[in-house]
Amino acid sequence: MDVAVLVVGAGPTGLALAAMLGRTGVPVRVIDKAVGRSQQSKALGVHAGTLEALSDVFGVGLPARMVATGQPVRAVHFHLGDRQPIAVDLGGLPSPYNFVLVLPQGETERLLAEQAAAFNVAVDWNHELAALRQDGDGVQCEVRRPDGGIELVRAAYVVGCDGAHSEVRHQVGAGFAGGSYPGTFLLADVSLDWGPGYGDLGHDSVRFFSTEAGAMAFFPLKDPDQATLGPTLCRLVLIPKGDAPAAEAEVDLAVFTTLARAVSGLPLVLEEAAWLTRFTIHHRMVKRLRHGRVFLAGDAAHIHSAAGGQGMNTGIQDALNLGARLTEALRRGPRGRKDEGVLDRYAQDRLPVARGVLRGTDLISRVGLLADGWWGRLLRRHILPLVIGTPFLRRRIALTLSQLPVSRQERPVRLAALD
Ligand SMILES: Cc1cc2nc3c(=O)[nH]c(=O)nc-3n(C[C@H](O)[C@H](O)[C@H](O)COP(=O)(O)OP(=O)(O)OC[C@H]3O[C@@H](n4cnc5c(N)ncnc54)[C@H](O)[C@@H]3O)c2cc1C
């Protein structure tokens, strides 16, 4: 056996797993086909449940570094049609992390990689899993090296943290059932001025707009260099209706600005796009997280709408649960021979969580982002204000999105692995 666990993919899921196994002393190797860490800001929201889970495993230092790097946000404002915005305060979340931490994914990955490195676990970049075959004792993997040659790696267990197009998932023949949402999603990391007379909207709250013209979300980003980018660096995600650009049309900052003004009804001034892209969203998941000695985690196992910022958080918590189960199994013997019950519990814990996240994000997307016509008007004018305005429902939604209940339920699993 070359290594106990081979982790395929060094996104947030793979890095969290690698750091956890480093922490519990399990021999682990991490490979990634990319040449280096992604700089993209993709997932922005780190929730309280994830910060508590990371704190359980690595101590308060890691979440403290994440909080210091990002921007804790304690309020969400809903702008529904032409009503006055409704404010939701997250300060009541029952956690020391009573906020959503807005932190670009690239930074989350950097800090997780540093945590893994503290346990002498480094990523082998430019190493691609090409094929795998398992037998009763382990998994034989073919890994393509930077020079194009194939290295054979034998591991007791392999974990596919290799994202939505997972090769590990293909290799074990797992299906990925689901579908795609209609509509064009546009994303821009820009410098924003709310426009004359709207400066008091400020920069310390997440804002969500839903109008006849579409939906838009605003996330404040911590400005690394105010001198060049202005005081209001932010992420805007836009789902225009009606006049949405055709799939093949190029979207530049001018087109984006016109659409963002139409959706928000505000005279926004946008400058200096650091990242401008369009994407489609899908909802898919596997039926099984375990295929013998091969496991799937994060986007390799489930993808869904970004509404509610659940994807990366779910992946990191998959990783910490699986890390604990693998640690326990390997403690029972060098090849985890008596592992069956322990390792099956990963799927027993996490498959229902993934299903719940898919259902919840699907509901938010259909109700909050994509609803159109009379149904959209009914939602904006009556149903959403009623739901958001009801303290009990508001608290429940905020608590579910924070992932605190699931994280706390799994805490004993994580702590047992550290003994
Ligand atoms: C535009 C955009 C915006 C998003 N916004 C949000 C958001 O606001 N909130 C949120 O929670 N989520 C968001 N997401 C989703 C979030 O980015 C993912 O949930 C998250 O990246 C999943 O992490 P992961 O580690 O499971 O997979 P990934 O981040 O996809 O990492 C997979 C890694 O595996 C590597 N790999 C792939 N194949 C192989 C192979 N054969 N061999 C070796 N390595 C391999 C890849 O190079 C990659 O580094 C967004 C995604 C996009 C695209």
Side-chain angles (χ1 to χ4, degrees):
M1 208 65 71
D2 298 315
V3 70
V5 181
L6 178 70
V7 176
V8 182
T13 307
L15 289 168
L17 178 59
M20 167 102 194
L21 294 174
R23 166 80 176 81
T24 60
V26 169
V28 56
R29 181 169 176 195
V30 195
I31 58 168
D32 196 297
K33 70 178 180 181
V35 291
R37 204 162 39 77
S38 156
Q39 302 301 316
Q40 286 184 335
S41 56
K42 297 192 295 191
L44 280 188
V46 186
H47 291 295
T50 303
L51 292 167
E52 285 197 359
L54 291 170
S55 169
D56 286 345
V57 178
F58 305 110
V60 291
L62 176 59
R65 285 190 291 281
M66 293 169 76
V67 172
T69 312
Q71 168 120 348
V73 170
R74 290 188 170 79
V76 182
H77 284 87
F78 292 86
H79 300 245
L80 303 172
D82 43 18
R83 300 174 67 99
Q84 279 296 310
I86 307 174
V88 173
D89 181 10
L90 300 177
L93 280 175
S95 168
Y97 307 107
N98 56 348
F99 46 77
V100 176
L101 178 64
V102 178
L103 180 66
Q105 184 168 326
E107 289 298 291
T108 300
E109 291 178 13
R110 177 178 66 79
L111 292 162
L112 286 170
E114 285 173 12
Q115 188 63 66
F119 302 114
N120 296 317
V121 180
V123 179
D124 286 333
W125 296 108
N126 217 345
H127 283 67
E128 177 178 5
L129 180 101
L132 63 78
R133 189 168 40 79
Q134 51 180 322
D135 50 53
D137 268 356
V139 192
Q140 189 77 13
C141 301
E142 291 181 21
V143 175
R144 191 168 294 113
R145 292 188 313 232
D147 63 6
I150 293 288
E151 177 186 350
L152 294 180
V153 179
R154 190 163 173 78
Y157 299 104
V158 171
V159 186
C161 303
D162 48 346
H165 304 287
S166 171
E167 182 58 38
V168 174
R169 194 180 64 233
H170 294 152
Q171 290 287 322
V172 295
F176 206 36
S180 305
Y181 292 99
T184 300
F185 292 72
L186 304 170
L187 176 159
D189 287 349
V190 283
S191 170
L192 171 145
D193 185 330
W194 290 110
Y198 290 93
D200 58 351
L201 287 181
H203 197 60
D204 51 3
S205 158
V206 168
R207 291 184 183 271
F208 173 72
F209 299 80
S210 178
T211 64
E212 287 284 311
M216 185 175 91
F218 161 88
F219 303 90
L221 291 172
K222 198 168 193 170
D223 203 328
D225 182 3
Q226 296 207 355
T228 55
L229 278 170
T232 53
L233 189 61
C234 71
R235 153 84 49 92
L236 294 178
V237 180
L238 196 55
I239 306 134
K241 292 177 192 144
D243 291 335
E248 63 287 354
E250 197 187 325
V251 177
D252 59 14
L253 190 57
V255 172
F256 191 97
T257 303
T258 305
L259 293 167
R261 284 179 178 169
V263 171
S264 64
L266 299 174
L268 307 174
V269 182
L270 308 183
E271 287 173 351
E272 305 199 50
W275 191 31
L276 206 162
T277 186
R278 64 193 304 158
F279 60 99
T280 47
I281 52 175
H282 312 269
H283 48 97
R284 296 179 185 281
M285 70 180 283
V286 293
K287 284 207 177 91
R288 287 161 54 202
L289 295 178
R290 179 178 184 188
H291 296 258
R293 293 179 163 272
V294 178
F295 298 83
L296 297 167
D299 273 21
H302 43 74
I303 53 170
H304 38 77
S305 160
Q310 301 291 291
M312 183 182 71
N313 290 271
T314 308
I316 291 174
Q317 290 188 54
D318 283 351
L320 299 183
N321 185 297
L322 181 55
R325 301 305 191 188
L326 285 167
T327 300
E328 204 184 327
L330 285 157
R331 275 185 193 148
R332 295 176 180 209
R335 290 176 188 171
R337 281 187 193 285
K338 295 181 191 152
D339 66 4
E340 291 309 312
V342 178
L343 289 175
D344 283 343
R345 267 181 243 141
Y346 163 61
Q348 286 160 12
D349 287 345
R350 299 302 298 175
L351 211 51
V353 172
R355 273 196 210 105
V357 168
L358 246 84
R359 268 198 305 271
T361 53
D362 186 62
L363 183 70
I364 300 177
S365 305
R366 290 185 195 283
V367 167
L369 306 181
L370 301 167
D372 222 342
W374 67 268
W375 172 229
R377 277 193 292 281
L378 183 71
L379 282 164
R380 274 192 303 279
R381 286 186 193 156
H382 303 291
I383 300 176
L384 289 175
L386 187 70
V387 171
I388 298 164
T390 306
F392 164 73
L393 291 174
R394 198 165 60 210
R395 271 199 302 276
R396 204 149 162 210
I397 295 168
L399 197 61
T400 304
L401 292 178
S402 76
Q403 301 199 354
L404 277 169
V406 167
S407 174
R408 297 240 172 111
Q409 200 175 321
E410 294 183 17
R411 168 170 288 161
V413 177
R414 295 190 289 271
L415 296 183
L418 304 179
D419 282 348

